């Protein structure tokens, strides 16, 4: 892994640019016309990969500000609402403006990834398989990456300009963001993943490269989003059965592979020997001590380190999320009542995934019984409380924990897709097709794994950190398994399983319930947190971010702004 990432960093010398204008060629480096050998072409492929890790604290490709803080899973955190103010505006849905530099930054950096993939494809098209035996594999990898970058743009902004390798970079500004319908954009993304699935091998010799399983997993995700058809005001008006079947078909390809669930939920979020495990289908790789500065660290997630370990205590899990992990005496979620009162850990039972996801005062940090997370680790608890995010963080004793003063990064891979995600994609499609009985064992696989994931959740004396109780669903015993209840169970399971992994807000938008969920959340949460007092979600507007004003200027007004901005 470390060697592969070092190669990726070297590739930056070939095609990166410090300019904020996409049609400016890099200076003092190779351009497309100078490429003569497959080795030269490989450099452009690596440059497309390298952009996966070219984020930073204000434009995180993990999407924690957009998928977690903008949802009911996390508060922004930091010093106060003025620290990273743009993200505060996003979490309260107040004063979100097209001229916000944070939005321009994430748009631009993601399109840098798009441009790099298009450059690589144009170069690859100049070779034959005889000259370059891995030609189709490399094309498939690059199209996988292009689809990944467009997927991010699609869920953030909805209607975006689509440029492929046939559009020269100097022509990008002339492509409108309404040339294709929303469904046509999803189809473009799906076609890239389909090509990748047809041309990639089941496994790759280098960790970090996309393979056939990753392509099918991302294809399933894309088809699932595409299935929920929206009108121009972002309301879900139809769920397409044909697309749902395509989700199932792609997911089945993944399920038939060598990937599977980790035996312990914790294994997905630990460094060292646990990295790139059996559940990690596609992950962004990071490194240190690779000959390039401090290495390729997870710059986009550096802000979420607790203040007690460094800086800066962002992404504070919400009380609503913590309450969601409460369970009944039968070991199932309290679907409708979980947030009526705050969980009492001396009295209530909880799903053990809580303590793999959320750091609580008095508990060991990352399972280290000699290092206890305390209230003093929180920067401004009077504003944001005492919880911290665990999954993306590591022990300060880990070799990959690096001081980038004043921040601290790490080298643990950032999982983009894992096997549990795919099981839930398939279960969701089955439920929406009225085949909820087939979805039950898929959801129960994940719940059974959660039930077995308590071995690390102990204090120094060997006792459990909470009263854990989670059970598989048993129709007629702890749930009535109708389509309505199965849908409720699936959506709750996605929240518990994938919490703080950047998905929650986009799930709510896909399901067409963002306004209901977020306004209910804000109504209750603003009684707990003063900084949310102005929070209000506007249906038909806040499902997507505004098209950045700088990009509208750059396009000479060709881009059409999203509704109600």
């Amino acid at each position: 892994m470390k060697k592969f990432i070092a190669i990726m960093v070297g590739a930056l010398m070939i095609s990166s640019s410090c300019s904020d204008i996409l049609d400016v060629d890099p200076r003092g480096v190779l351009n497309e016309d100078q490429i003569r050998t497959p080795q030269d072409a490989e450099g452009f492929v690596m440059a497309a990969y390298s952009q996966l890790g070219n984020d930073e604290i204000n434009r995180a490709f993990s999407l924690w500000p957009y998928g977690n803080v903008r949802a009911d899973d996390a508060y922004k955190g930091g010093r106060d609402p003025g620290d990273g103010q743009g993200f505060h505006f996003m979490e309260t849905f107040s004063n979100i403006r097209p001229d916000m530099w944070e939005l321009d930054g994430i748009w631009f950096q993601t399109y840098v990834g798009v441009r790099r993939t298009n450059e690589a494809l144009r170069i690859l098209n100049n070779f034959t398989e005889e000259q370059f035996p891995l030609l189709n594999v490399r094309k498939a990898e690059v199209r996988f990456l292009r689809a990944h970058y467009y997927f991010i743009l699609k869920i953030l902004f909805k209607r975006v300009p689509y440029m492929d390798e046939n559009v020269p970079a100097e022509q990008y500004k002339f492509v409108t963001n309404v040339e294709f319908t929303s469904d046509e954009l999803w189809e473009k993304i799906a076609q890239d993943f389909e090509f990748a699935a047809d041309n990639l091998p089941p496994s790759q010799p280098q960790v970090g490269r996309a393979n056939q399983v990753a392509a099918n997993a991302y294809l399933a995700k894309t088809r699932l989003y595409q299935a929920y058809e929206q009108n121009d005001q972002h309301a879900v008006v139809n769920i397409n059965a044909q697309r749902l079947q395509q989700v199932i078909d792609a997911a089945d390809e993944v399920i038939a592979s060598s990937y599977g669930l980790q035996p312990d939920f914790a294994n997905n979020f630990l460094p060292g020997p646990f990295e790139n495990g059996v559940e990690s289908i596609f992950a962004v790789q990071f490194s240190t001590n690779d000959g390039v500065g401090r290495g390729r660290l997870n710059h986009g997630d550096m802000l979420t380190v607790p203040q007690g370990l460094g800086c800066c205590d962002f992404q504070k899990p919400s009380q609503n999320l913590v309450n969601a992990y409460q369970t009944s005496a039968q070991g199932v979620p309290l679907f409708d009542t979980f947030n009526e009162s705050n969980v009492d850990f001396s009295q209530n039972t909880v799903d053990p995934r809580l303590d793999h996801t959320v750091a609580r005062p008095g508990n060991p940090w990352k399972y280290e019984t000699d290092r206890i997370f305390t209230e003093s680790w929180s920067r401004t608890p009077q504003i944001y409380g005492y919880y911290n995010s665990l999954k993306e963080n590591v022990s300060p004793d880990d070799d990959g924990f690096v001081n980038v003063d004043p921040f601290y990064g790490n080298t643990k891979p950032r999982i983009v897709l894992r096997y549990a995600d795919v099981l839930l994609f398939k279960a969701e499609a089955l439920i929406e097709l009225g085949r909820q009985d087939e979805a039950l064992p898929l959801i129960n696989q994940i719940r059974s794994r959660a039930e077995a994931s308590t071995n690390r959740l102990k204090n120094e004396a060997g006792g459990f950190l909470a009263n854990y109780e989670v059970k598989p669903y048993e129709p007629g015993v702890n749930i009535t398994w109708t389509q309505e209840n199965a849908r409720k169970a699936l959506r709750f399971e996605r929240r518990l399983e994938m919490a703080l992994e950047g998905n929650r807000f986009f799930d709510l938008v896909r399901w067409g319930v963002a306004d209901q969920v977020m306004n209910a959340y804000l109504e209750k949460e603003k009684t707990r947190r003063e900084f949310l007092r102005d929070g209000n979600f506007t249906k038909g507007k806040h499902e997507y971010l505004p098209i950045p004003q700088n990009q509208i200027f750059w396009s000479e007004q060709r881009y059409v702004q999203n509704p109600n901005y």
Side-chain angles (χ1 to χ4, degrees), residues 105 259 264 371 375 434 503 519 533 535:
Y259 290 83
D264 190 321
R371 180 176 282 114
E375 292 184 352
N503 298 286
N519 281 324
R533 67 184 183 277

Side-chain angles (χ1 to χ4, degrees), residues 500-520:
L500 304 180
E501 295 183 47
N503 298 286
R504 174 65 173 170
F505 183 79
F506 309 114
D507 285 343
L508 297 177
V509 172
R510 180 175 77 252
W511 297 327
V513 299
D515 62 312
Q516 303 166 37
V517 172
M518 291 311 302
N519 281 324

Side-chain angles (χ1 to χ4, degrees), residues 431 435-441 443-444 473-476 479-487 489-490:
I431 290 167
R435 296 159 58 184
Q436 56 270 14
D437 288 349
E438 297 174 61
L440 179 61
I443 297 173
N444 278 345
Y473 292 111
E474 296 183 68
I479 194 169
T480 302
W481 198 250
T482 61
Q483 184 185 39
E484 180 181 356
N485 285 346
R487 181 183 294 118
L490 177 282

Side-chain angles (χ1 to χ4, degrees), residues 255-269:
I255 293 169
S257 73
S258 60
Y259 290 83
L261 294 177
Q262 286 277 8
D264 190 321
F265 185 72
N267 293 357
N268 289 300
F269 313 106

